[in-house]
Amino acid sequence: MASEPEFRKRLEELRPYLVRFASLQLRDAAAAEDAVQEALLAALAGEAGFAGRANLRTWLTGILKHKIVDTIRRQAKEPALPEDPDQALEEFDGLFAKGDDHWSERPAAWGDPDGALQQAQFYRALEKCLGRLPERTARVFLMREHMGLETGEICKELEITPTHCWVLLYRARMVLRECLQQTWFGK
């Protein structure tokens, strides 16, 4: 087992990796920093319990995952700023011609979506579009589409109703569709 100064040095060397990992999950630099600090404090407190059976990076990532889940739970219990439903409705209605409810401008063909998905540029465009989503909406979308969680699991974790979950997923898909239409497929 390493001495205390060596252990602290190894923790500090892994800190940039942990911040990147937390930032990807939380999408908030301050929350990511807080989660990493909590994980490092927990690691320092549990140094005696680290026997070296696992890689230090793996051990720290495991602690950080628990801190990230705690952060998500805390954020889910905090009241979110209300989205402006009138503005969202106006933007959505603007896609359709007045009177006949048909597209005002027909969406462009997306070509070969499977081929587009394999391009790194598409992933960057998708990531930018995900960044435009409200935090709660993005979290529900990622939990469903990226993590593969069922509606019931998402509802339980975020303490929302299934109807609210479906609304958030619908909004996420519509915003992503419009954003990708403008930034990727409309090129």
Side-chain angles (χ1 to χ4, degrees):
M1 180 141 139
S3 68
E4 185 177 338
E6 288 176 25
F7 186 75
R8 287 176 182 248
K9 182 180 179 209
R10 290 174 59 200
L11 291 181
E12 195 56 38
E13 288 170 354
L14 290 169
R15 193 175 173 289
Y17 162 77
L18 297 172
V19 170
R20 281 192 311 274
F21 182 86
S23 294
L24 180 64
Q25 300 298 319
L26 295 172
R27 296 175 34 146
D28 177 2
E33 187 66 40
D34 289 347
V36 169
Q37 290 299 324
E38 289 176 21
L40 291 174
L41 286 172
L44 288 170
E47 178 183 359
F50 178 68
R53 290 187 300 267
N55 181 316
L56 180 61
R57 180 172 159 165
T58 305
W59 184 66
L60 285 171
T61 303
I63 294 171
L64 181 58
K65 285 179 182 179
H66 289 286
K67 299 301 178 185
I68 289 170
V69 168
D70 291 345
T71 301
I72 290 171
R73 285 185 181 139
R74 260 194 319 271
Q75 289 174 344
K77 291 180 181 177
E78 294 174 1
L81 294 175
E83 296 178 27
D84 184 4
D86 293 331
Q87 181 185 0
L89 196 56
E90 286 175 22
E91 290 173 7
F92 183 72
D93 286 344
L95 298 172
F96 300 94
K98 295 194 187 296
D100 64 2
D101 293 331
H102 289 90
W103 290 104
S104 58
E105 189 177 307
R106 188 172 190 88
W110 286 20
D112 178 20
D114 292 330
L117 283 172
Q118 295 182 15
Q119 298 179 25
Q121 294 168 340
F122 176 79
Y123 287 121
R124 284 195 293 274
L126 178 61
E127 191 172 307
K128 274 186 173 179
C129 290
L130 283 168
R132 293 181 183 175
L133 290 174
E135 185 175 334
R136 189 175 190 94
T137 305
R139 180 164 292 134
V140 169
F141 181 80
L142 289 171
M143 289 174 86
R144 175 65 175 222
E145 302 301 335
H146 182 67
M147 297 171 73
L149 297 179
E150 296 295 324
T151 303
E153 295 171 293
I154 296 168
C155 293
K156 182 179 177 187
E157 187 66 37
L158 299 180
E159 297 178 351
I160 59 176
T161 65
T163 303
H164 189 207
C165 181
W166 297 328
V167 167
L168 292 174
L169 286 169
Y170 174 77
R171 287 180 182 169
R173 290 176 180 130
M174 290 305 293
V175 169
L176 289 174
R177 180 195 176 283
E178 183 65 26
C179 180
L180 288 172
Q181 179 70 33
Q182 292 172 0
T183 61
W184 182 254
F185 296 108
K187 287 184 177 181

